[in-house]
Amino acid sequence: ATTGEKTDTHVIKNIRLILPRAAEAYDDFLPDSFQGIPVVFEPLLNDIGYRGTISKVQDPCPECIDEETFQFVLDDGTEIYNDGERIITHAISGMGTWSYNKDDKKVTFVAESTFKDKEARIRYNVKGGKGGESPYNQEAYRSTPATIGVKIIENPNPPAGIMITNKMV
């Protein structure tokens, strides 16, 4: 806004612009997990797509999410995907390795041994239109990124440190 020689700058944050009936991805957070144990997420279970003619009233379709279109999205907007492989893997130095399996639709996180008492997070997006249904399979109908996260805590009984102390066993 301007008033004479003065100006005022407004910053708008966290705005979400999407096409009507674009796929919708929702955040997935698991309870605290012990360091040294892989964490498995099923992020597509709460995501939805659509089918049929776009209309004002349209039922969501969870089974319309195309697991082949999953991609990790980094904080800088870089998209990590691999069209030729069944598993997408992304390692983050100091945190661990994230993997998505297109066959079982699961994301696995394996923390580095030094990563504990911290929260691990990564974002992802997907498209609907499973089976090639247009327009939902088009890039413009890709979901906005959702977050997958878990807090990794130190394991009081690490698997390698188990010692049997009962002579009866």
Side-chain angles (χ1 to χ4, degrees):
T2 63
T3 55
E5 295 178 14
K6 305 291 182 194
T7 60
D8 189 12
T9 304
H10 299 270
V11 178
I12 299 172
K13 294 175 123 183
N14 299 327
I15 191 165
R16 182 176 160 176
L17 299 174
I18 57 171
L19 289 173
R21 305 301 178 239
E24 298 173 25
Y26 293 96
D27 295 344
D28 298 278
F29 292 94
L30 290 179
D32 295 353
S33 182
F34 290 133
Q35 206 287 325
I37 300 172
V39 183
V40 179
F41 299 84
E42 294 187 69
L44 305 186
L45 288 181
N46 64 342
D47 298 346
I48 57 174
Y50 295 91
R51 75 171 119 214
T53 305
I54 296 173
S55 65
K56 190 174 186 176
V57 178
Q58 198 168 350
D59 291 332
C61 175
E63 63 274 7
C64 293
I65 292 294
D66 187 353
E67 64 276 355
E68 300 287 325
T69 65
F70 181 99
Q71 55 190 19
F72 291 116
V73 180
L74 305 183
D75 291 338
D76 65 1
T78 303
E79 296 169 337
I80 309 294
Y81 57 92
N82 189 343
D83 289 332
E85 300 293 326
R86 303 304 301 158
I87 297 177
I88 303 167
T89 302
H90 180 66
I92 300 174
S93 180
M95 182 188 295
T97 303
W98 294 91
S99 300
Y100 171 72
N101 186 321
K102 294 179 183 179
D103 295 324
D104 65 11
K105 306 174 196 171
K106 293 180 181 177
V107 170
T108 304
F109 174 68
V110 178
E112 290 183 0
S113 61
T114 57
F115 188 83
K116 51 189 157 206
D117 298 324
K118 299 177 192 169
E119 188 170 79
R121 289 179 175 227
I122 195 163
R123 297 183 313 150
Y124 76 97
N125 62 26
V126 291
K127 289 192 292 187
K130 187 171 185 170
E133 186 171 359
S134 187
Y136 309 108
N137 64 343
Q138 297 174 12
E139 198 60 32
Y141 284 84
R142 184 172 287 282
S143 70
T144 57
T147 302
I148 300 171
V150 63
K151 183 176 180 183
I152 303 297
I153 59 175
E154 189 167 0
N155 190 343
N157 300 309
I162 296 175
M163 183 169 71
I164 298 174
T165 58
N166 184 345
K167 292 182 182 182
M168 299 295 288
V169 176

